[in-house]
Amino acid sequence: MNLLPTEPPACTREAGSLCYQVFQVTKNEWLSASAGWLLTKPLRILMIVAVAFLLRYLVRRLINRVTRMPGGGSSKLPALLRPLRERAPEVLGSAVMERRRQRAATIGSVLKSMATFLIYGLAFILVLGELGIDLAPIIASAGIVGVALGFGAQNLVKDFLSGMFMMIEDQYGVGDVVDVGEASGTVEAVGLRITTLRDINGTVWYVRNGEVLRVGNSSQGFAVAVVDVPLSYSADVEKATELMAEKAKTLLESESLSPNVLEPPEMLGVETVTPEGIKLRLTVKVRPGKQWSVQRALRAHLLAALDEAGFEPPLGRFMSSGPASQ
């Protein structure tokens, strides 16, 4: 049986079209009809991928530029942090610079991850469209799945958003001593979902950012060392006050403590009066995180100085040995 000749595709009669040009060269109906798929589609897909890579590269370079610390020991903020509130005073020097660098690097890392996800996600959708895949059912299904995940992962989203705002607002950073309610200690890591603390006993606490309702930061800006010294009622308060102020000033000028002191000590005087005795209070403005070591040194030094000067501690008359019984 003789086969009837097939009719060439209609596109082979459209002068100027790619199909017409390929048919004129190859006289192959299938190749000319598929020219758009074999040549145009791959080129468009390749262009989409190339533009996505280029755009991602440019965005990452821009983020690196606005999060990079100025060189040459400059104290200027990175461009990304300039509109944000700065909590650390310039007097802290290198500690402030390192904190700014860590803060900018963390925010920059998050921005780069988000930019990569958005750019590549959009490129993937455009490539599917070029392949002729109907995106409407996919987008509808993705929307339904997204809503379902949104209801199921509310805590995860809450933790993520809280972590972002904690970093942007500089509520705390690595090395800070903080109290977040149920746990307190030194911050070892700050993530978008959890914050890792280590308390004074060495226990590591993992705190979800979304569960942090308030933060007490003992290491931000500056700290105050507070020293309360007990005395008996019979003590000369004025003389004890002068002695404590003098001894504290001498101690804080020593090489071991002077780098941690920001301002001279302030003698506040009588703080409390109890049935056991009275307490004198002295305060010193120090570098963040150094208040406890300064307090311990001052307390030991002042108690020894008062003892040498003959000041009696509270309840001293009950603790001292009386005359032997006859």
Side-chain angles (χ1 to χ4, degrees):
M1 183 175 63
N2 294 330
L3 296 175
L4 296 175
T6 58
E7 186 71 17
C11 64
T12 59
R13 295 187 295 272
E14 297 176 0
S17 66
L18 180 61
C19 176
Y20 174 82
Q21 296 175 4
V22 173
F23 183 75
Q24 294 299 319
V25 174
T26 63
K27 302 301 181 181
N28 187 303
E29 298 175 3
W30 178 86
L31 186 61
S32 58
S34 304
W37 173 264
L38 296 176
L39 296 178
T40 307
K41 295 291 184 182
L43 287 177
R44 288 181 179 175
I45 293 174
L46 183 62
M47 183 175 296
I48 291 173
V49 174
V51 170
F53 273 105
L54 179 61
L55 183 60
R56 175 180 177 270
Y57 171 76
L58 294 177
V59 170
R60 289 175 69 91
R61 283 203 60 181
L62 177 62
I63 293 174
N64 287 334
R65 177 171 295 183
V66 299
T67 57
R68 185 175 59 242
M69 291 290 294
S74 174
S75 60
K76 292 183 178 179
L77 283 169
L80 181 66
L81 300 184
R82 288 173 191 167
L84 305 179
R85 183 177 180 182
E86 177 63 36
R87 298 177 182 274
E90 297 294 338
V91 70
L92 300 182
S94 59
V96 175
M97 299 296 292
E98 180 62 19
R99 185 182 183 90
R100 289 173 178 173
R101 187 194 64 78
Q102 292 178 354
R103 183 183 175 199
T106 303
I107 298 176
S109 176
V110 174
L111 292 178
K112 285 188 281 188
S113 298
M114 294 177 61
T116 298
F117 175 78
L118 292 176
I119 293 171
Y120 283 171
L122 180 60
F124 179 72
I125 293 174
L126 294 177
V127 168
L128 291 181
E130 288 296 328
L131 294 175
I133 299 175
D134 188 6
L135 299 179
I138 298 176
I139 295 176
S141 301
I144 295 173
V145 173
V147 171
L149 290 177
F151 281 109
Q154 293 183 40
N155 289 334
L156 183 62
V157 175
K158 182 180 178 182
D159 295 341
F160 179 86
L161 294 177
S162 298
M164 280 291 297
F165 280 108
M166 285 178 181
M167 293 179 186
I168 292 174
E169 296 172 357
D170 192 25
Q171 295 181 12
Y172 53 77
V174 175
D176 287 356
V177 179
V178 300
D179 181 352
V180 294
E182 295 296 328
S184 61
T186 303
V187 178
E188 291 194 341
V190 180
L192 289 176
R193 194 178 71 86
I194 62 172
T195 295
T196 305
L197 305 177
R198 187 179 296 273
D199 65 17
I200 193 171
N201 298 318
T203 303
V204 177
W205 295 85
Y206 298 94
V207 183
R208 285 176 42 202
N209 294 331
E211 296 297 319
V212 178
L213 301 180
R214 54 120 176 119
V215 179
N217 195 329
S218 300
S219 306
Q220 202 166 63
F222 64 89
V224 178
V226 181
V227 179
D228 288 334
V229 177
L231 290 174
S232 66
Y233 283 112
S234 60
D236 186 337
V237 174
E238 184 176 352
K239 182 178 178 182
T241 300
E242 294 177 355
L243 178 64
M244 288 177 58
E246 179 183 351
K247 294 297 182 180
K249 182 178 179 181
T250 303
L251 178 63
L252 296 176
E253 290 176 351
S254 63
E255 294 183 1
S256 59
L257 293 181
S258 59
N260 299 326
V261 178
L262 300 179
E263 292 183 2
E266 183 178 1
M267 191 65 212
L268 301 183
V270 177
E271 176 63 21
T272 58
V273 179
T274 65
E276 292 78 20
I278 61 177
K279 286 184 179 180
L280 302 183
R281 172 164 292 185
L282 178 142
T283 61
V284 187
K285 191 174 182 179
V286 297
R287 291 181 178 274
K290 301 298 182 181
Q291 61 267 41
W292 298 287
S293 59
V294 173
Q295 284 174 182
R296 287 190 291 268
L298 278 173
R299 192 174 293 114
H301 185 80
L302 293 179
L303 287 175
L306 290 172
D307 186 61
E308 290 178 3
F311 286 92
E312 189 176 86
L315 302 179
R317 60 184 179 276
F318 298 111
M319 303 301 295
S320 59
S321 57
S325 300
Q326 299 294 329

